[in-house]
């Protein structure tokens, strides 16, 4: 993808973001089950989570086997400062350390 195309796709993506002093909220399509934003990857054109697209736009492609984790634990947040690369195990350890794992019966 050339720079002009990447810029065009990036501009369109960011028009669906509401920025606050902390989290940047995705205002486009949402996954009703887990509340993550949905968008198209700038590299593959496939639907993926909006926070992955935000990471791609600011840092480049995501290495195979890695996830994009949230420091803020806010699923619709696409603020690049709140996103970091990690393995599935890193994401689970982060969840447990922050006390976000499921406990008991709902």
């Amino acid at each position: 993808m050339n720079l002009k195309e990447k810029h065009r796709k990036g501009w369109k993506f960011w028009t669906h973001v509401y920025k606050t002093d902390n989290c940047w909220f995705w205002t486009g399509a949402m996954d009703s089950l887990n509340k993550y934003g949905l968008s198209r990857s700038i590299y593959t054109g496939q639907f993926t989570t909006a926070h992955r697209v935000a990471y791609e736009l600011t840092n480049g492609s995501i290495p195979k086997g890695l996830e994009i984790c949230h420091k803020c634990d806010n699923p619709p947040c696409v603020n690049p400062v709140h996103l970091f690369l990690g393995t599935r195990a890193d994401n689970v350890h982060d969840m447990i350390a922050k006390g976000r794992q499921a406990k008991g019966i709902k």
Side-chain angles (χ1 to χ4, degrees):
M1 168 184 324
N2 64 38
L3 188 59
K4 184 177 180 181
E5 180 69 9
K6 184 176 178 183
H7 176 75
R8 184 188 67 75
K9 288 183 177 187
W11 175 85
K12 186 175 180 182
F13 175 86
W14 296 115
T15 64
H16 296 286
V17 175
Y18 173 74
K19 295 180 182 179
T20 69
D21 290 338
N22 191 17
C23 289
W24 295 4
F25 295 93
W26 176 250
T27 62
M30 300 291 284
D31 180 324
S32 60
L33 179 64
N34 60 25
K35 308 300 183 210
Y36 285 100
L38 298 173
S39 187
R40 288 192 185 271
S41 168
I42 63 169
Y43 294 104
T44 66
Q46 300 296 315
F47 274 102
T48 187
T49 54
H51 65 282
R52 287 181 68 89
V53 177
Y55 187 92
E56 289 177 335
L57 287 167
T58 55
N59 298 290
S61 62
I62 300 166
K64 189 172 179 77
L66 293 182
E67 297 183 355
I68 303 302
C69 309
H70 284 90
K71 294 176 186 175
C72 62
D73 299 325
N74 187 356
C77 180
V78 294
N79 184 341
V81 174
H82 294 186
L83 306 175
F84 64 98
L85 278 174
T87 63
R88 167 57 84 183
D90 294 334
N91 208 6
V92 170
H93 291 307
D94 182 58
M95 173 188 66
I96 292 168
K98 293 175 180 175
R100 292 186 294 106
Q101 74 276 20
K103 298 175 188 157
I105 301 171
K106 281 188 171 184

